[in-house]
mmCIF file of all heavy atoms in Angstrom:
data_model
loop_
_atom_site.group_PDB
_atom_site.id
_atom_site.type_symbol
_atom_site.label_atom_id
_atom_site.label_comp_id
_atom_site.label_asym_id
_atom_site.label_seq_id
_atom_site.Cartn_x
_atom_site.Cartn_y
_atom_site.Cartn_z
ATOM 1 N N ARG A 57 109.969 -0.107 120.745
ATOM 2 C CA ARG A 57 110.593 0.508 121.913
ATOM 3 C C ARG A 57 109.560 1.301 122.699
ATOM 4 O O ARG A 57 109.640 1.381 123.938
ATOM 5 C CB ARG A 57 111.733 1.435 121.472
ATOM 6 C CG ARG A 57 113.041 0.722 121.213
ATOM 7 C CD ARG A 57 114.194 1.691 121.103
ATOM 8 N NE ARG A 57 114.351 2.502 122.310
ATOM 9 C CZ ARG A 57 115.343 3.369 122.494
ATOM 10 N NH1 ARG A 57 116.276 3.523 121.561
ATOM 11 N NH2 ARG A 57 115.430 4.075 123.606
ATOM 12 N N ALA A 58 108.598 1.864 122.013
ATOM 13 C CA ALA A 58 107.556 2.642 122.681
ATOM 14 C C ALA A 58 106.734 1.753 123.618
ATOM 15 O O ALA A 58 106.364 2.158 124.720
ATOM 16 C CB ALA A 58 106.653 3.313 121.643
ATOM 17 N N THR A 59 106.461 0.527 123.155
ATOM 18 C CA THR A 59 105.712 -0.422 123.996
ATOM 19 C C THR A 59 106.519 -0.782 125.238
ATOM 20 O O THR A 59 105.986 -0.842 126.349
ATOM 21 C CB THR A 59 105.366 -1.687 123.191
ATOM 22 O OG1 THR A 59 104.535 -1.326 122.085
ATOM 23 C CG2 THR A 59 104.632 -2.705 124.060
ATOM 24 N N LEU A 60 107.827 -1.040 125.049
ATOM 25 C CA LEU A 60 108.684 -1.337 126.196
ATOM 26 C C LEU A 60 108.699 -0.168 127.175
ATOM 27 O O LEU A 60 108.611 -0.358 128.394
ATOM 28 C CB LEU A 60 110.108 -1.639 125.723
ATOM 29 C CG LEU A 60 111.150 -1.831 126.838
ATOM 30 C CD1 LEU A 60 110.811 -3.039 127.704
ATOM 31 C CD2 LEU A 60 112.560 -1.969 126.247
ATOM 32 N N ASN A 61 108.782 1.049 126.644
ATOM 33 C CA ASN A 61 108.813 2.229 127.512
ATOM 34 C C ASN A 61 107.522 2.364 128.313
ATOM 35 O O ASN A 61 107.545 2.701 129.503
ATOM 36 C CB ASN A 61 109.046 3.493 126.680
ATOM 37 C CG ASN A 61 110.470 3.563 126.136
ATOM 38 O OD1 ASN A 61 111.373 2.938 126.688
ATOM 39 N ND2 ASN A 61 110.677 4.305 125.066
ATOM 40 N N ARG A 62 106.397 2.094 127.647
ATOM 41 C CA ARG A 62 105.111 2.172 128.358
ATOM 42 C C ARG A 62 105.044 1.112 129.457
ATOM 43 O O ARG A 62 104.612 1.383 130.577
ATOM 44 C CB ARG A 62 103.939 1.972 127.383
ATOM 45 C CG ARG A 62 103.713 3.136 126.438
ATOM 46 C CD ARG A 62 102.294 3.132 125.875
ATOM 47 N NE ARG A 62 101.932 1.848 125.287
ATOM 48 C CZ ARG A 62 102.193 1.505 124.037
ATOM 49 N NH1 ARG A 62 102.847 2.339 123.237
ATOM 50 N NH2 ARG A 62 101.821 0.324 123.577
ATOM 51 N N LEU A 63 105.465 -0.103 129.133
ATOM 52 C CA LEU A 63 105.465 -1.200 130.109
ATOM 53 C C LEU A 63 106.343 -0.851 131.308
ATOM 54 O O LEU A 63 105.955 -1.064 132.452
ATOM 55 C CB LEU A 63 105.951 -2.475 129.419
ATOM 56 C CG LEU A 63 106.039 -3.762 130.246
ATOM 57 C CD1 LEU A 63 105.725 -4.975 129.369
ATOM 58 C CD2 LEU A 63 107.437 -3.944 130.853
ATOM 59 N N GLU A 64 107.534 -0.286 131.029
ATOM 60 C CA GLU A 64 108.460 0.030 132.110
ATOM 61 C C GLU A 64 108.021 1.233 132.932
ATOM 62 O O GLU A 64 108.493 1.426 134.057
ATOM 63 C CB GLU A 64 109.869 0.272 131.547
ATOM 64 C CG GLU A 64 110.527 -0.998 131.019
ATOM 65 C CD GLU A 64 111.977 -0.799 130.635
ATOM 66 O OE1 GLU A 64 112.375 0.366 130.360
ATOM 67 O OE2 GLU A 64 112.727 -1.789 130.609
ATOM 68 N N ARG A 65 107.113 2.028 132.403
ATOM 69 C CA ARG A 65 106.550 3.140 133.179
ATOM 70 C C ARG A 65 105.373 2.689 134.037
ATOM 71 O O ARG A 65 104.834 3.473 134.816
ATOM 72 C CB ARG A 65 106.109 4.275 132.257
ATOM 73 C CG ARG A 65 107.242 5.066 131.636
ATOM 74 C CD ARG A 65 106.755 6.410 131.109
ATOM 75 N NE ARG A 65 105.692 6.261 130.139
ATOM 76 C CZ ARG A 65 105.867 6.151 128.827
ATOM 77 N NH1 ARG A 65 107.100 6.153 128.330
ATOM 78 N NH2 ARG A 65 104.847 6.033 128.001
ATOM 79 N N GLY A 66 104.979 1.429 133.874
ATOM 80 C CA GLY A 66 103.888 0.900 134.678
ATOM 81 C C GLY A 66 102.538 0.888 133.992
ATOM 82 O O GLY A 66 101.533 0.554 134.614
ATOM 83 N N GLN A 67 102.524 1.231 132.716
ATOM 84 C CA GLN A 67 101.268 1.145 131.973
ATOM 85 C C GLN A 67 100.963 -0.317 131.651
ATOM 86 O O GLN A 67 101.866 -1.100 131.382
ATOM 87 C CB GLN A 67 101.345 1.964 130.677
ATOM 88 C CG GLN A 67 101.469 3.456 130.917
ATOM 89 C CD GLN A 67 101.475 4.252 129.626
ATOM 90 O OE1 GLN A 67 101.018 3.784 128.585
ATOM 91 N NE2 GLN A 67 102.003 5.468 129.682
ATOM 92 N N ILE A 68 99.680 -0.681 131.704
ATOM 93 C CA ILE A 68 99.274 -2.073 131.511
ATOM 94 C C ILE A 68 99.374 -2.464 130.041
ATOM 95 O O ILE A 68 98.823 -1.788 129.162
ATOM 96 C CB ILE A 68 97.839 -2.305 132.018
ATOM 97 C CG1 ILE A 68 97.693 -1.832 133.467
ATOM 98 C CG2 ILE A 68 97.465 -3.778 131.884
ATOM 99 C CD1 ILE A 68 98.609 -2.511 134.441
#
Side-chain angles (χ1 to χ4, degrees):
R57 277 193 58 176
T59 298
L60 174 63
N61 289 337
R62 289 201 308 274
L63 180 147
E64 290 188 337
R65 288 198 303 269
Q67 294 183 21
I68 307 301

